[in-house]
Amino acid sequence: MVNREFRITDGKTMWIAVLLFASLWTAIQPVHGEEQLPEEAELQFELPEPFFGGTPLDGWFPNLEEFTYKERPPFKAPVGTAIVSRQKPVSSSASPLRGKLEQVVDGKKGYEPENVLELPEGLQWTQVDLQEEFEVYAILLWHNFRGIHIYFDVIGQASNDPEFKKDVTEFYNNDIDNTSHLGAGKDKEYLERNYGRLFDLKGIKARYIRFYGNGNTNTSTNQVVEIEVWGKKSDN
């Protein structure tokens, strides 16, 4: 009698254990049809030294975002994401007035004048060819931040078409009055600083990255320091 009661209790314990294991196994498995998210890690951005000084801005800029001295929060992307733009080919809409195109992807982001690529006045673009399609997760853009600058008609686009005539993804546009004739944007203008401007592209697949600009608060020319693209090889 004692042994029979012990076997029944032991059987119940076993079934409880089986049910608990099944529940835990189900909880850790992805729902059928739901894609399992990749493991992520914080991207380690290397920033140049800040510049202190410059003439205060004179004017009213209704589309200017509120400036903050807060540090940028960590940015995460799938493990394996790295800089994919370094030393890649660069083209532009016009010949430089100062500097060389390759400076835009050389990793030198300081405010020193020798790091600045300057294009003529008016709407101009600078384009990086990643030489193959990547899943792009982040882009950092530095204009000249020696002084206090707001850059106008900044438009960022990604595509697999080098002419940007088809399959273009626009990920940023602060041209709110459409002076570029590329379509009015809704993004805010911002003050340049050593942090650069970070764009979250969420894994957009693209080979070419293009940035437009149309002067700034100090000059009508276009001054780009660095375009840094972070991505990983496309699964396609």
Side-chain angles (χ1 to χ4, degrees):
M1 183 65 179
V2 172
N3 290 338
R4 182 171 176 272
E5 288 179 351
F6 174 79
R7 285 196 299 270
I8 291 174
T9 303
D10 186 58
K12 288 181 177 177
T13 302
M14 181 185 70
W15 277 109
I16 291 173
V18 169
L19 290 172
L20 284 173
F21 178 78
S23 298
L24 289 171
W25 179 257
T26 301
I28 63 175
Q29 297 305 305
V31 177
H32 181 67
E34 180 179 306
E35 184 179 358
Q36 192 170 9
L37 296 176
E39 185 180 358
E40 293 188 333
E42 180 184 347
L43 300 186
Q44 301 298 319
F45 301 133
E46 293 186 4
L47 303 181
E49 293 293 323
F51 180 84
F52 299 101
T55 305
L57 294 174
D58 182 15
W60 181 60
F61 305 94
N63 192 39
L64 181 63
E65 70 180 15
E66 184 178 356
F67 182 75
T68 176
Y69 288 97
K70 293 181 180 178
E71 291 191 1
R72 187 162 49 211
F75 185 92
K76 292 186 175 182
V79 171
T81 300
I83 299 174
V84 296
S85 53
R86 193 64 50 82
Q87 311 301 340
K88 296 293 178 65
V90 179
S91 56
S92 65
S93 54
S95 298
L97 300 174
R98 173 165 57 123
K100 298 179 179 178
L101 292 175
E102 52 264 35
Q103 291 178 205
V104 171
V105 290
D106 64 359
K108 298 178 181 177
K109 315 159 192 172
Y111 56 76
E112 295 81 5
E114 60 267 28
N115 293 326
V116 177
L117 170 73
E118 186 164 20
L119 299 178
E121 65 180 13
L123 186 71
Q124 304 290 350
W125 53 257
T126 308
Q127 180 173 314
V128 179
D129 177 4
L130 303 177
Q131 297 186 302
E132 60 180 304
E133 181 184 87
F134 284 92
E135 294 174 2
V136 180
Y137 289 94
I139 299 178
L140 281 162
L141 170 67
W142 284 269
H143 290 109
N144 182 15
F145 59 94
R146 187 183 181 90
I148 301 175
H149 301 81
I150 301 170
Y151 283 77
F152 304 130
D153 301 345
V154 178
I155 301 172
Q157 298 178 339
S159 180
N160 279 320
D161 176 17
E163 303 296 327
F164 281 75
K165 294 181 178 178
K166 59 181 181 179
D167 302 327
V168 177
T169 299
E170 181 179 276
F171 54 85
Y172 186 84
N173 185 342
N174 68 13
D175 178 17
I176 59 172
D177 53 6
N178 196 24
T179 54
S180 66
H181 302 291
L182 296 172
K186 298 181 179 179
D187 294 303
K188 291 286 189 180
E189 295 170 340
Y190 56 92
L191 291 175
E192 292 289 337
R193 60 176 186 159
N194 66 311
Y195 276 60
R197 188 67 173 189
L198 174 63
F199 305 97
D200 182 358
L201 271 73
K202 305 182 186 303
I204 289 174
K205 295 180 179 179
R207 170 174 170 171
Y208 302 95
I209 303 297
R210 176 182 287 191
F211 278 102
Y212 287 88
N214 191 5
N216 61 69
T217 45
N218 289 20
T219 175
S220 58
T221 61
N222 294 274
Q223 301 170 331
V224 181
V225 171
E226 188 79 7
I227 298 173
E228 189 171 87
V229 184
W230 290 72
K232 58 186 301 187
K233 286 194 174 182
S234 174
D235 293 332
N236 289 342

